[in-house]
Amino acid sequence: MTDYYEILEVARDASADQIKKAYRRMAMRYHPDVATDDGAAEKFKQVQEAYDVLSDQRKRSIYDRGGNPSGRSAAGFGGGAGFGDFGGAGFDFTNLVDAMFGQQSARGPRSRVRRGQDALVQLQLELHEAAFGVSRVIAMETAVLCPRCQGAGAAEGSKPEQCRTCHGRGDVTQIQRSFLGDIRTSQPCPNCRGYGSVIPQPCGECDGEGRIRTAREITVKIPAGVDTGMRVHLASHGEVGPGGGPAGDLYVEIVVAEHPLFKRNGNDLEMVVRLPMTAAALGTEVNVRTLEADQPDSDPEQDSVRLEVPAGTQSGTRLTIPGRGIPQLRGKGRGELCVTLLVLTPTRVNAEQRDLLRQLAELREETNAEAEQVHKREKGRFERFWESLR
């Protein structure tokens, strides 16, 4: 017995709609006016017979019980139907094309109410604002709900009316003659632009759009630890959609300004402290400024920390102060404050100072040859140090 379900490539429990869609697909593939493959005509007859049985609830029930609802021989598709009998067999290719192309009208009119677009704005912050968080007010021009019509688009006392051109369908159909039959194509109605309705008396404030553009201020709360390139997402704070539709989202992109003293490296802060040559040699303590000092309501006890510099410190030495860097974004703890020490050699000395330096060099037996060796040894370290500050 021929398997009609296999011919249409559908499951045995396929719905009537699934069978109809499968038939359209197979018929377009094997119709003699379209297909060029050998055997397409025979395959088309099989598709046609399968659809004739499975689309009829009574015939399908008989077939599913093992009967022969077509009355044809079970040995094959039999019957003397030839290539010219398609019309007599009940197949109208014009209806097939109409079904394929005319389905566009089933879309219905499009809604005047649509979601608004997302918006993106940039917000420049100082380093301490990005580190510790801040609330800022952003002024932007955006689309908001029309205050007069509240998104309806129609003037007071009026309402949208059904389009007389498309009768509310939202599209119009054109019929063209071809060798395949009548081909129907649909396009949005030129009168109502696909809405299916027209607004005879638009709102005078928004001209029927349901929204207007105006300046608006939005308060944005920036979390602690943000950095350049990060975005803060504010749901439903973008543009109101046409027809008073729901607003899109607002994205605030962070741009952090450069700081004259600190350089950010992830969650760490880098800074350079200059020391006199004698202080580096003898050891000292220095008062190091922290990022907290930039805050308007800073605590004087947090504005600086004491850093101990050990005796014999060389230029380029890097010391760290834990917990004085950038707070972790949505986390606990802070990075480090990294201090690079730059030892300064005096450029102006008087005669007495020069004599003392000469005596020191003699006591340390630092000859010119030894100074040259020290220079070569330290050159690489200085080059790496300056490179890290660029």
Side-chain angles (χ1 to χ4, degrees):
M1 185 175 178
T2 304
D3 191 341
Y4 292 143
Y5 293 101
E6 182 178 353
I7 292 174
L8 293 182
E9 299 179 356
V10 295
R12 299 192 71 84
D13 59 350
S15 64
D17 186 58
Q18 291 173 328
I19 291 174
K20 182 182 294 184
K21 290 181 179 179
Y23 167 65
R24 292 171 179 168
R25 182 177 66 253
M26 303 293 285
M28 285 295 293
R29 183 191 306 174
Y30 294 112
H31 191 273
D33 290 341
V34 178
T36 59
D37 299 339
D38 295 338
E42 184 64 27
K43 183 66 175 178
F44 181 75
K45 287 191 293 182
Q46 297 175 10
V47 170
Q48 184 181 357
E49 181 175 345
Y51 179 69
D52 179 64
V53 172
L54 298 183
S55 63
D56 188 295
Q57 188 63 35
R58 183 184 63 83
K59 293 181 180 180
R60 182 178 181 182
S61 178
I62 296 173
Y63 172 77
D64 288 342
R65 293 196 300 270
N68 187 7
S70 65
R72 299 179 181 176
S73 170
F77 288 87
F83 187 69
D85 292 334
F86 294 150
F91 177 79
D92 185 355
F93 189 65
T94 299
N95 291 336
L96 172 63
V97 176
D98 290 347
M100 296 299 293
F101 292 93
Q103 283 298 313
Q104 298 180 32
S105 61
R107 294 175 305 181
R110 62 191 182 109
S111 175
R112 293 183 181 273
V113 180
R114 301 194 302 277
R115 181 182 183 274
Q117 292 183 342
D118 296 338
L120 173 66
V121 296
Q122 284 191 337
L123 177 62
Q124 181 163 319
L125 301 177
E126 299 298 330
L127 181 57
H128 69 277
E129 294 175 328
F132 304 118
V134 68
S135 291
R136 293 285 292 273
V137 176
I138 298 178
M140 56 182 295
E141 183 177 332
T142 185
V144 299
L145 188 70
C146 176
R148 181 176 296 183
C149 70
Q150 295 299 309
E156 185 177 358
S158 66
K159 60 181 181 179
E161 298 178 355
Q162 185 182 80
C163 175
R164 297 181 180 180
T165 301
C166 66
H167 303 289
R169 292 191 303 270
D171 53 22
V172 292
T173 303
Q174 295 180 340
I175 302 178
Q176 295 179 330
R177 299 285 183 180
S178 73
F179 72 95
L180 296 176
D182 291 347
I183 298 179
R184 298 183 182 182
T185 57
S186 297
Q187 61 183 8
C189 175
N191 184 45
C192 66
R193 296 183 296 170
Y195 295 122
S197 63
V198 294
I199 302 178
Q201 299 181 37
C203 171
E205 183 76 15
C206 65
D207 197 26
E209 183 72 13
R211 59 179 184 172
I212 61 173
R213 298 198 69 83
T214 185
R216 179 185 175 194
E217 290 188 345
I218 300 174
T219 300
V220 182
K221 186 176 181 180
I222 307 299
V226 297
D227 200 359
T228 295
M230 292 183 178
R231 292 182 177 181
V232 177
H233 177 208
L234 300 177
S236 301
H237 280 71
E239 293 191 350
V240 169
D249 297 339
L250 174 63
Y251 294 89
V252 181
E253 187 173 75
I254 304 300
V255 179
V256 181
E258 292 187 3
H259 195 279
L261 179 61
F262 301 104
K263 181 179 180 181
R264 182 170 180 172
N265 181 20
N267 287 330
D268 294 336
L269 288 176
E270 303 280 350
M271 67 180 301
V272 175
V273 171
R274 293 167 174 80
L275 287 177
M277 178 183 66
T278 52
L282 299 174
T284 186
E285 283 190 356
V286 293
N287 201 36
V288 178
R289 184 179 184 274
T290 64
L291 188 59
E292 280 86 347
D294 289 345
Q295 297 195 86
D297 55 348
S298 63
D299 182 356
E301 295 184 359
Q302 299 292 321
D303 289 352
S304 62
V305 292
R306 297 292 293 177
L307 178 64
E308 183 177 350
V309 180
T313 295
Q314 302 298 305
S315 191
T317 298
R318 189 168 178 265
L319 304 178
T320 59
I321 304 174
R324 287 306 183 102
I326 302 293
Q328 294 184 12
L329 182 64
R330 299 184 180 89
K332 296 181 179 179
R334 293 174 58 177
E336 299 177 332
L337 175 57
C338 305
V339 181
T340 299
L341 300 175
L342 183 61
V343 178
L344 301 179
T345 302
T347 56
R348 295 181 180 180
V349 293
N350 55 32
E352 182 180 1
Q353 293 169 343
R354 186 178 294 107
D355 185 57
L356 290 174
L357 289 173
R358 187 179 294 110
Q359 293 180 37
L360 177 61
E362 291 176 353
L363 290 173
R364 294 179 55 84
E365 298 181 351
E366 295 175 346
T367 63
N368 291 336
E370 292 174 343
E372 181 65 23
Q373 292 178 359
V374 172
H375 169 71
K376 291 180 179 180
R377 184 173 64 250
E378 298 295 328
K379 181 179 179 181
R381 185 163 66 170
F382 272 107
E383 289 178 347
R384 291 192 299 270
F385 165 69
W386 287 114
E387 183 65 27
S388 66
L389 298 180
R390 293 178 182 176

